[in-house]
Amino acid sequence: MSSSSAASDTLVFVHSQKQSMRKANDSAIVSCGMRVSVDPTTYKVLDACFVFAGIAQKHFVAQETAAIACGSDWSDSRFVNGMLLETCAQEIASALPNNTDRPKYRVALAASLLYQFWMASCKAFGIDSGFGSDVPDDYLEYTLPKPMISEQTFAPVEEKAIIGKGEPHLSALKHTTGEAVYTDDMPPVHGELFVALVLSTRSHARILSIDPSKALAMDGVHPKLFTASDIPGSNLWNIWRDEEVLASKEVHFHGHIIAAVAAKDRDVARRAADAVEIEYEDLPAIYSIDQAIEQESFFEEVSEIECGDVEAAFADADFVFGGEVRCGAQEHLYMEPQAFLIVPKGEDNEYDVFKTLGIPENRVYCRTKRLGGGFGGKDLNQLA
């Protein structure tokens, strides 16, 4: 992705790139974001910034490389192919942790991305780059004399052939054009009701009573509050089957789902859910990791991943930093809004839906159009 702009006294070019180990659906091994500002008359660099990811634990700013770029002639290909790329390679190499995977490849790739950035900026600025024809012979051994270029080619195949034929992702065009239809984009069906959830306002408490009278008296609200007793199938979910869909007797965290109310539209349903009155008996709660340690509240099964001698590594380290990180979320919140649509088919107790219905699986028709952005969690919930 690139962009350029021109003012009366400055030319600016911004460019970003990502290089993965495979063509699609992969994280970058090295990515970068770069910017350069030059004088439109002399092509002298007024300002530069080169940022890389995949080099250190967080983004790495190549300050030395940017420093020698400032004040230089951006049209001087020998300077770029020599000192600029050499400095970049050396700076990247020194920033790589000792246990980095493919260190020489990452160094070469970073220098190559900088070179490609220079070539792209020359094209945008109208500079004759020379395409790196004068790279010095003593160029740093693990940098590349020309950009790393990868391409995917296919042998000629018959029109009806499948193997060897390049095909785009089935949903690619719909995603990029905004035509992909998600659950919230679907038109309402006849008689559709909207559901809002009644959530716990306590972290740990026993449910003594639930009074939905105020909620059910509202105009447009379905005359039924759905609780755990209304679930004909299993009320347990997740991979370990240890959490209730609707809390039946106790709530175990703030926001625990207790009940559901249906109404003619979303706003009415939300107001009705807020009007449901619940009486609690508070139980002891643990609000921090310190309290958990103090009360010896631990998970019985502990998963550990060990590699090498940690104590020896700390003892041999030049610097050891300590600290703590606290996260209030219980589980990961997915990028896409969670929504579902349940459509009774009106015959043989069939539904277009999944979940705890307590009916044979062959009477449930599951349609999952998209699972992107779920990091696998949506797939696992489908299996539940």
Side-chain angles (χ1 to χ4, degrees), residues 208-224:
L208 299 181
S209 65
I210 302 176
D211 182 6
S213 57
K214 292 182 179 179
L216 300 182
M218 293 182 177
D219 184 36
V221 176
H222 186 274
K224 170 67 178 178

Side-chain angles (χ1 to χ4, degrees), residues 92-113:
I92 295 296
S94 63
L96 290 173
N98 294 331
N99 60 346
T100 300
D101 181 40
R102 303 178 182 89
K104 290 188 176 182
Y105 174 64
R106 292 178 189 266
V107 171
L109 182 55
S112 174
L113 294 176

